[in-house]
Amino acid sequence: MRSDTVTKGKQQAPHRSLFNALGLTKEEMDRPLVGIVSSYNEIVPGHMNLDKIVDAVKQGVAMAGGTPIVFPAIAVCDGIAMGHIGMKYSLVTRDLIADSTEAMALAHQFDALVMVPNCDKNVPGLLMAAARINVPTIFVSGGPMLAGHVKGEKRSLSSMFEAVGANAAGTMSDEDLCEFENKVCPTCGSCSGMYTANSMNCLTEVLGMGLGGNGTIPAVYSARIRLAKQAGMKVMELLEKNIRPRDIMTEKAILNALTVDMALGCSTNSMLHLPAIAHEIGMDFEIDFANGISEKTPNLCHLAPAGPTYMEDLNEAGGVYAVMAELNKKNLLHTDCMTVTGRTVGENIEGAVNRNPEVIRPIDNPYTPTGGLAVLKGNLAPDGSVVKRSAVVEEMLVHEGPARVFECEEDAIDAIKGGKIVAGDVVVIRYEGPKGGPGMREMLNPTSAIAGMGLGSSVALITDGRFSGASRGASIGHVSPEAAVGGPIALVEEGDLIRIDIPGLKLELAVPDEELKKRREKWQPREPKVTTGYLARYASMVTSGNRGAILEIPKSNG
């Protein structure tokens, strides 16, 4: 066992003395050491219940003959970080989480790991770490929040942000806004729609790194505690059989995840995280993969913000396995992939039943014949951009309008709420990419303001930043190359005509090449917004959004 390095032999007597200081017995040191990576904290609603999940995991590990030892991972709440400097620190935590988990796991020579994440960056960050460390590993998340109820209708966090826009437009009273505030987030858990956290937890099931139900069992259900105990026991079986993350997270598994992503209508952020996870297993992930898979993968689910159903509804309908079983009817999955159950994908989903065809459309009656995400290219985004096609209203799938250009998110919000954006406009927010932000902020505030002010079916938003999974409408993000490195989005001027063709996968700036060439000759890089601390180091190493905003050591000029 790997832990023999720190627990066996005379040379390890000093190490054992320190384990003694922890209160561990000889019997515990003789068993496999299982690291429990706990993302618990008291600031993220999706993480406030993880202490109970961790306790259940510890029981499962101990019951199966292991010695569970807990260490932490940080977590940022994207909702609380939204709309201010805090959002610059959201995406960047993904790499902090991966790096710190790698450091802890290898420094202490754990034999196996149980990852306990829940919200947006913890899941991909820990998946990246799992691939690097490559000891037997299983995931069990904290589970989704139940939907809120306002005036007899189910609601979620995206409704809350849009309510602020409606209030600013004068179409919602202060009293109704207060009712939303008090009711849309009624329990602990990751926010209740198909936002980034729930997208990634569902895809963890598809990748084979979590047990069935990991993505959908609500946080407040006792079934979540039972799942955590089962995960603790199962990791010991993985250790015995020496089944490791890189045996599970293969290229085929990544393609399975992208396929189910299309069927579920996941957050556009999955198009940052899947490439980053793929990078850790040595897979060259081109975001163009998405269009080929989308073309043959029907969209089966319209969970919030795309529709009126929520994670609890998906769970009752049969969960992720039921979606996968529908897809498998047309042989759209690689069913021979190994999973943490010790069985293949095909064996896992055998017998899975779709219990509600209104929540999970049957494969022969999809919402659309193509998937939930699309990658658009053109002279405005030569390296690609991403849109959640399933959350775009029909009349905005093809749109042409004048550019309204803003150099940061705050200026755009002021213009939207000030009534300066009108039907037909294309709002362009730039210098918010991975380097330019730095940190590639989510644009939930401006997209929600557009929707709340009744412009969701007539105004588009384009950015080199990204969107929350709670965003809906013609919201096109990850425009690459970004403005900070001189991408074409930096050359857009007020009033330029922009053409969006989502079915045609095109994003074009209707400006002659000669004019763009003149603008490029005049363009000058901007001074970095941040010059000290972690964000400055991140900006110096981060790659473009189309590559998953992975970190690379800058190449020397020498």
Side-chain angles (χ1 to χ4, degrees):
M1 289 191 299
R2 183 185 292 242
S3 62
D4 289 353
T5 310
V6 292
T7 59
K8 299 290 191 298
K10 290 183 180 180
Q11 199 66 28
Q12 280 63 46
H15 304 73
R16 289 193 297 276
S17 72
L18 293 167
F19 282 116
N20 287 336
L22 290 171
L24 293 187
T25 64
K26 180 181 182 304
E27 290 79 6
E28 287 174 302
M29 283 185 259
D30 286 341
R31 295 173 181 171
L33 301 185
V34 180
I36 315 297
V37 187
S38 172
S39 303
Y40 168 76
N41 65 41
E42 294 182 343
I43 188 63
V44 184
H47 290 223
M48 62 182 282
N49 65 319
L50 294 190
D51 55 341
K52 295 177 176 59
I53 302 296
V54 166
D55 284 345
V57 169
K58 289 172 68 177
Q59 291 179 52
V61 169
M63 284 190 288
T67 298
I69 301 175
V70 179
F71 65 89
I74 63 166
V76 164
C77 176
D78 279 20
I80 295 174
M82 195 70 66
H84 57 90
I85 190 173
M87 184 44 70
K88 293 180 185 288
Y89 285 91
S90 170
L91 179 60
V92 306
T93 65
R94 184 187 72 186
D95 297 273
L96 278 175
I97 291 160
D99 293 348
S100 60
T101 302
E102 173 193 355
M104 287 292 288
L106 295 180
H108 300 105
Q109 293 292 286
F110 288 105
D111 297 301
L113 296 168
V114 182
M115 307 295 198
V116 187
N118 209 29
C119 288
D120 298 38
K121 309 311 163 305
N122 288 74
V123 184
L126 292 178
L127 285 165
M128 290 162 66
R132 285 185 206 169
I133 300 160
N134 203 35
V135 298
T137 302
I138 195 168
F139 277 65
V140 57
S141 76
M145 183 184 291
L146 294 178
H149 289 80
V150 182
K151 300 187 186 306
E153 293 186 12
K154 285 185 178 181
R155 297 290 189 176
S156 62
L157 184 65
S158 54
S159 309
M160 183 71 251
F161 277 91
E162 291 179 14
V164 173
N167 180 258
T171 58
M172 178 179 286
S173 69
D174 289 351
E175 291 76 18
D176 283 349
L177 182 67
C178 185
E179 184 178 2
F180 268 78
E181 179 181 333
N182 287 308
K183 292 182 176 179
V184 295
C185 295
T187 70
C188 62
S190 47
C191 295
S192 55
M194 188 53 78
Y195 310 146
T196 308
N198 292 324
S199 295
M200 293 309 303
N201 280 318
C202 287
L203 295 185
T204 300
E205 280 190 53
V206 184
L207 286 168
M209 292 298 294
L211 298 175
N214 183 57
T216 60
I217 297 171
V220 294
Y221 284 14
S222 296
R224 177 63 56 179
I225 300 295
R226 295 197 298 272
L227 187 75
K229 291 177 183 176
Q230 289 160 358
M233 291 185 280
K234 185 60 71 172
V235 79
M236 298 304 295
E237 184 182 316
L238 295 173
L239 180 59
E240 182 184 349
K241 294 179 178 178
N242 196 28
I243 298 174
R244 301 174 181 235
R246 286 184 216 156
D247 300 323
I248 295 170
M249 288 192 286
T250 60
E251 290 195 16
K252 285 183 178 180
I254 296 285
L255 295 177
N256 278 348
L258 194 49
T259 299
V260 178
D261 185 318
M262 294 298 169
L264 285 171
C266 289
S267 164
T268 51
N269 283 315
S270 64
M271 293 302 292
L272 285 173
H273 301 321
L274 287 176
I277 295 162
H279 176 74
E280 297 292 344
I281 66 166
M283 177 184 176
D284 187 13
F285 186 109
E286 295 288 338
I287 62 170
D288 289 14
F289 289 160
N291 289 339
I293 288 179
S294 177
E295 194 167 326
K296 61 185 180 182
T297 307
N299 178 228
L300 305 181
C301 299
H302 268 190
L303 282 83
T309 54
Y310 296 82
M311 294 305 296
E312 62 203 68
D313 302 312
L314 180 60
N315 187 62
E316 293 302 318
V320 175
Y321 280 7
V323 176
M324 294 173 74
E326 288 290 348
L327 294 172
N328 198 41
K329 290 176 182 177
K330 291 199 174 177
N331 300 313
L332 294 174
L333 297 174
H334 297 283
T335 56
D336 57 340
C337 294
M338 179 52 63
T339 73
V340 291
T341 65
R343 298 176 298 179
T344 65
V345 166
E347 290 170 326
N348 285 345
I349 65 175
E350 189 176 349
V353 176
N354 180 357
R355 299 189 186 95
N356 189 339
E358 296 302 313
V359 175
I360 305 171
R361 288 280 186 92
I363 193 79
D364 294 322
N365 182 33
Y367 281 101
T368 57
T370 53
L373 298 182
V375 174
L376 313 184
K377 283 191 171 183
N379 68 346
L380 187 50
D383 293 339
S385 60
V386 182
V387 63
K388 189 171 183 173
R389 172 163 45 188
S390 59
V392 180
V393 295
E394 184 74 25
E395 52 267 42
M396 289 300 290
L397 290 172
V398 177
H399 180 75
E400 188 174 287
R404 305 297 310 280
V405 183
F406 302 94
E407 310 301 323
C408 66
E409 177 190 6
E410 288 83 357
D411 290 350
I413 292 170
D414 288 345
I416 295 164
K417 291 187 176 178
K420 296 176 183 176
I421 302 301
V422 299
D425 284 348
V426 178
V427 176
V428 177
I429 304 177
R430 62 191 180 192
Y431 293 97
E432 291 285 8
K435 283 186 182 293
M440 204 177 187
R441 287 196 288 180
E442 288 185 343
M443 302 290 155
L444 180 56
N445 272 341
T447 59
S448 298
I450 287 169
M453 297 191 73
L455 297 170
S457 60
S458 60
V459 168
L461 193 155
I462 295 172
T463 181
D464 53 7
R466 62 195 178 92
F467 295 107
S468 164
S471 291
R472 62 186 176 100
S475 304
I476 301 166
H478 310 193
V479 171
S480 301
E482 63 174 292
V485 299
I489 192 172
L491 310 179
V492 181
E493 293 183 359
E494 187 80 8
D496 285 348
L497 197 66
I498 292 176
R499 296 180 181 135
I500 300 164
D501 182 356
I502 295 174
L505 307 175
K506 292 288 185 183
L507 182 60
E508 298 281 352
L509 180 62
V511 173
D513 291 344
E514 273 304 311
E515 173 62 20
L516 287 177
K517 185 178 178 183
K518 289 177 186 175
R519 293 182 189 180
R520 178 165 298 288
E521 288 169 357
K522 295 178 183 176
W523 180 81
Q524 293 291 325
R526 299 194 168 204
E527 287 296 314
K529 294 178 185 175
V530 180
T531 57
T532 59
Y534 178 57
L535 285 179
R537 294 199 302 277
Y538 180 87
S540 72
M541 298 174 70
V542 71
T543 62
S544 176
N546 71 299
R547 296 186 58 201
I550 60 172
L551 299 186
E552 287 185 337
I553 298 171
K555 291 179 181 176
S556 169
N557 293 324

